[in-house]
Amino acid sequence: MLVDVQGDDAYDAQDVAQGACLGGMGFLVDGGGNDTYRGYRRVQGQAIGGVGMLLDRSGNDDYRGALLAQGVGGPLGLGLLDDLAGNDHYYAGGKYPPPYDDSPGYGGFSQGVGVGPRGVANGGLGVLLDGGGDDVYEADYFGHAGGYWFAAGFARDFGGND
């Protein structure tokens, strides 16, 4: 668990970070400030076999992940990204090839997505919540409130011009 009370922060990571877990629990709580979250995969409220949560209370925040980022629930997992206020920017994708040949973009599986490996295990529950502000959402293949392989994904923005 990481708890930061205030200030403009930069959280940089590669894999399994920023409120993420593999068979356990991971929490990141940021109390305020204009924050930047950057990571490659399994970041920003992601869980496989447990609970992963990123809670940001306020500020104009920038979220960047490439794969399995920003509120993703894998098998037996609950992943949540909850940003309560601010003009935020969410970006997911741009790095890894897509799982199927028919995609014009990159693989993503991000932004309130539940996902499981096809034919191996059912997916979990992925949730992306934004409390308000004028936000931007960008995602590649399988993004923004999607469910893949017996999984569920939810995304809800509670206000603003998005």
Side-chain angles (χ1 to χ4, degrees), residues 45-63:
Q46 180 276 339
I48 296 173
V51 178
M53 294 185 182
L54 191 161
L55 308 172
D56 190 287
R57 298 189 54 81
S58 66
N60 300 325
D61 304 310
D62 187 43
Y63 298 92

Side-chain angles (χ1 to χ4, degrees), residues 12 17 19 31 33 35 38 41-43 49 75 84 91 93 111-112 116 125 127 132 135 145-146:
D12 293 320
D35 306 311
R38 289 183 298 255
R41 63 182 183 196
R42 297 182 290 196
V43 294
L84 297 178
Y91 177 84
Q111 297 181 355
L125 176 62
V127 181
D135 307 307

Side-chain angles (χ1 to χ4, degrees), residues 104-134:
Y106 293 91
F109 292 98
S110 299
Q111 297 181 355
V113 170
V115 62
R118 186 177 191 162
V120 176
N122 296 342
L125 176 62
V127 181
L128 172 62
L129 302 174
D130 188 278
D134 299 335

